[in-house]
Amino acid sequence: PRLSLRTLTTLLLVVLSMALVLLSGEIYRSVAHENQRHALMDLMKIKAAEALVGLEHQSLDIGLAIQLEPDFRRAFESKEEDSLSFELDNQFHQHSVTAGQVKLIRLSAYDLNFALTAQSSAELIDVARDTAVCPSLLGRARSRTGAARLQTIAELCLMPGGRPYYAVLVPVGGLHPVGYIQVVADPAQSLRSIDTALGMPVKISLNDGGEVYESSAWQDQDVAQNKLIASYSLMDERGVSVLKISAMTDISAFNQDLAYARNLVMGVGGAITLLAVFIAMLLLQK
């Protein structure tokens, strides 16, 4: 009976030590994956901000290029709506637009009092023509005074139709502004560059789950093996989610290293436990 009790005690200690190793390994794996997910989210946040800054610069270039056209300046000064719409439509044939760098949605011309003068007719938008895109951007512009009215401002917004837009307001007239041009673009087109910047598959979706973009190497979560998926939501000025960006990274090498370390710890822990029990039994016998 004493031998059976000793054997049972030994086996129980070994089982408990192995269970502790397995439990601690799972906890460490979960914490490590969560840390990787948060690090990837921070990286997506940085790359998304860089993509939107690039879109703002490209929109500014479009707004400045319009002002170099003598016909546009003449039509803007005389407030000829048809001529202005024609000049605005011509900007849809710029290289950055035709090359797919910017998905231009709408161009609008405003006077100094932010009264609408003309809009482009070659627009690709599901918002009515008499509805301003990102109206809060125009509200911010109206409240500016002095030299602040010379600055370019931009905003990411969500319209009632559920589609996100990125609007940039460009002053017309240089140091003596006579009006403004609002350049509206699709932010998802510029955010596609995140997959190249991160070097991993990316998926961009709307708040309702509608897919906007998906990398060719993207795999669904129920199919992907040894893949870690992190998601980051782009917010507007009010803190409302506008777009959801998800990135997928391969963690197979990490899981293999973790499994090797777990097996090594189990082996070493089991051997140490058996040695400790054996020494304890010898001491008890004496």
Side-chain angles (χ1 to χ4, degrees):
R2 279 185 294 176
L3 181 60
S4 300
L5 183 60
R6 292 171 182 174
T7 303
L8 180 61
T9 304
T10 302
L11 292 176
L12 181 61
L13 289 175
V14 172
V15 170
L16 288 177
S17 63
M18 294 300 100
L20 180 61
V21 171
L22 288 175
L23 180 60
S24 60
E26 286 300 316
I27 294 175
Y28 173 77
R29 184 182 68 86
S30 178
V31 172
H33 285 179
E34 194 63 26
N35 288 336
Q36 285 187 332
R37 186 176 288 106
H38 282 290
L40 186 54
M41 289 172 58
D42 293 338
L43 190 57
M44 283 193 294
K45 180 179 180 180
I46 295 174
K47 296 304 179 182
E50 292 177 353
L52 291 181
V53 170
L55 177 57
E56 180 179 353
H57 292 166
Q58 291 171 330
S59 300
L60 175 61
D61 292 340
I62 294 175
L64 295 178
I66 300 175
Q67 304 179 39
L68 296 178
E69 300 292 336
D71 293 336
F72 170 81
R73 295 198 300 268
R74 186 165 45 252
F76 194 91
E77 293 173 359
S78 60
K79 295 184 178 181
E80 298 176 4
E81 183 176 355
D82 294 338
S83 300
L84 273 177
S85 297
F86 177 79
E87 295 299 328
L88 294 175
D89 288 341
N90 286 338
Q91 302 307 311
F92 283 77
H93 304 290
Q94 277 204 22
H95 172 72
S96 59
V97 180
T98 56
Q101 299 175 4
V102 178
K103 187 176 180 180
L104 193 58
I105 301 296
R106 174 189 281 182
L107 291 171
S108 302
Y110 294 90
D111 61 13
L112 280 178
N113 297 320
F114 296 96
L116 182 63
T117 303
Q119 282 184 349
S120 58
S121 60
E123 57 184 16
L124 303 171
I125 193 171
D126 54 0
V127 178
R129 291 187 59 82
D130 57 348
T131 302
V133 179
C134 299
S136 59
L137 177 67
L138 300 178
R140 288 167 49 199
R142 289 190 185 96
S143 63
R144 298 185 303 173
T145 58
R149 297 175 68 89
L150 303 176
Q151 299 175 357
T152 300
I153 55 176
E155 183 177 301
L156 178 68
C157 68
L158 187 68
M159 294 301 291
R163 299 290 300 186
Y165 297 105
Y166 192 76
V168 179
L169 198 64
V170 183
V172 177
L175 296 178
H176 303 282
V178 294
Y180 298 91
I181 296 175
Q182 187 189 46
V183 183
V184 181
D186 183 2
Q189 181 75 14
S190 300
L191 292 172
R192 294 182 180 186
S193 61
I194 294 180
D195 57 356
T196 303
L198 295 178
M200 59 186 67
V202 168
K203 182 170 72 171
I204 304 175
S205 56
L206 302 174
N207 289 333
D208 58 3
E211 183 180 308
V212 177
Y213 171 74
E214 183 178 291
S215 302
S216 57
W218 181 270
Q219 297 177 346
D220 293 331
Q221 195 166 5
D222 54 348
V223 178
Q225 298 293 330
N226 292 322
K227 303 292 184 181
L228 178 69
I229 298 178
S231 299
Y232 168 72
S233 295
L234 277 174
M235 304 293 183
D236 61 5
E237 296 291 332
R238 301 170 300 171
V240 178
S241 176
V242 175
L243 277 174
K244 180 181 177 182
I245 306 173
S246 301
M248 176 184 294
T249 183
D250 189 352
I251 57 173
S252 56
F254 172 79
N255 287 338
Q256 291 176 0
D257 293 340
L258 185 62
Y260 172 78
R262 181 184 59 192
N263 295 334
L264 180 63
V265 171
M266 288 180 61
V268 174
I272 293 176
T273 303
L274 289 174
L275 179 62
V277 171
F278 178 73
I279 295 175
M281 291 175 62
L282 289 180
L283 293 176
L284 289 174
Q285 285 180 348
K286 293 182 179 181

